[in-house]
PDB file of all heavy atoms in Angstrom:
ATOM      1  N   ARG A 223     -26.659 -19.100  27.275  1.00 71.00           N
ATOM      2  CA  ARG A 223     -27.534 -20.196  27.218  1.00 71.00           C
ATOM      3  C   ARG A 223     -27.613 -20.818  25.877  1.00 71.00           C
ATOM      4  O   ARG A 223     -27.812 -20.099  24.862  1.00 71.00           O
ATOM      5  CB  ARG A 223     -28.925 -19.816  27.734  1.00 71.00           C
ATOM      6  CG  ARG A 223     -28.929 -19.512  29.207  1.00 71.00           C
ATOM      7  CD  ARG A 223     -30.420 -19.099  29.675  1.00 71.00           C
ATOM      8  NE  ARG A 223     -30.248 -18.593  31.012  1.00 71.00           N
ATOM      9  CZ  ARG A 223     -31.375 -18.259  31.679  1.00 71.00           C
ATOM     10  NH1 ARG A 223     -32.569 -18.391  31.216  1.00 71.00           N
ATOM     11  NH2 ARG A 223     -31.282 -17.836  32.917  1.00 71.00           N
ATOM     12  N   HIS A 224     -27.619 -22.189  25.802  1.00 69.00           N
ATOM     13  CA  HIS A 224     -27.683 -22.758  24.441  1.00 69.00           C
ATOM     14  C   HIS A 224     -29.193 -22.969  24.194  1.00 69.00           C
ATOM     15  O   HIS A 224     -29.973 -23.481  25.016  1.00 69.00           O
ATOM     16  CB  HIS A 224     -27.004 -23.919  24.481  1.00 69.00           C
ATOM     17  CG  HIS A 224     -25.450 -23.885  24.674  1.00 69.00           C
ATOM     18  ND1 HIS A 224     -24.746 -23.390  23.681  1.00 69.00           N
ATOM     19  CD2 HIS A 224     -24.739 -24.185  25.689  1.00 69.00           C
ATOM     20  CE1 HIS A 224     -23.430 -23.392  24.212  1.00 69.00           C
ATOM     21  NE2 HIS A 224     -23.373 -23.765  25.420  1.00 69.00           N
ATOM     22  N   SER A 225     -29.558 -22.682  22.841  1.00 66.00           N
ATOM     23  CA  SER A 225     -30.897 -22.886  22.533  1.00 66.00           C
ATOM     24  C   SER A 225     -31.164 -24.419  22.261  1.00 66.00           C
ATOM     25  O   SER A 225     -30.309 -25.197  21.804  1.00 66.00           O
ATOM     26  CB  SER A 225     -31.213 -22.175  21.271  1.00 66.00           C
ATOM     27  OG  SER A 225     -30.467 -22.628  20.213  1.00 66.00           O
ATOM     28  N   LYS A 226     -32.344 -24.873  22.593  1.00 66.00           N
ATOM     29  CA  LYS A 226     -32.645 -26.206  22.356  1.00 66.00           C
ATOM     30  C   LYS A 226     -33.005 -26.562  20.968  1.00 66.00           C
ATOM     31  O   LYS A 226     -33.706 -25.734  20.295  1.00 66.00           O
ATOM     32  CB  LYS A 226     -33.912 -26.666  23.253  1.00 66.00           C
ATOM     33  CG  LYS A 226     -33.732 -26.515  24.765  1.00 66.00           C
ATOM     34  CD  LYS A 226     -34.732 -26.944  25.492  1.00 66.00           C
ATOM     35  CE  LYS A 226     -34.532 -26.819  27.026  1.00 66.00           C
ATOM     36  NZ  LYS A 226     -35.740 -27.153  27.714  1.00 66.00           N
ATOM     37  N   SER A 227     -32.435 -27.673  20.481  1.00 58.00           N
ATOM     38  CA  SER A 227     -32.715 -27.869  19.008  1.00 58.00           C
ATOM     39  C   SER A 227     -33.585 -29.093  18.760  1.00 58.00           C
ATOM     40  O   SER A 227     -34.004 -29.821  19.584  1.00 58.00           O
ATOM     41  CB  SER A 227     -31.504 -28.150  18.150  1.00 58.00           C
ATOM     42  OG  SER A 227     -30.381 -28.634  18.913  1.00 58.00           O
TER      43      SER A 227
END
Side-chain angles (χ1 to χ4, degrees):
R223 295 184 184 184
H224 297 286
S225 61
K226 296 179 182 179
S227 24

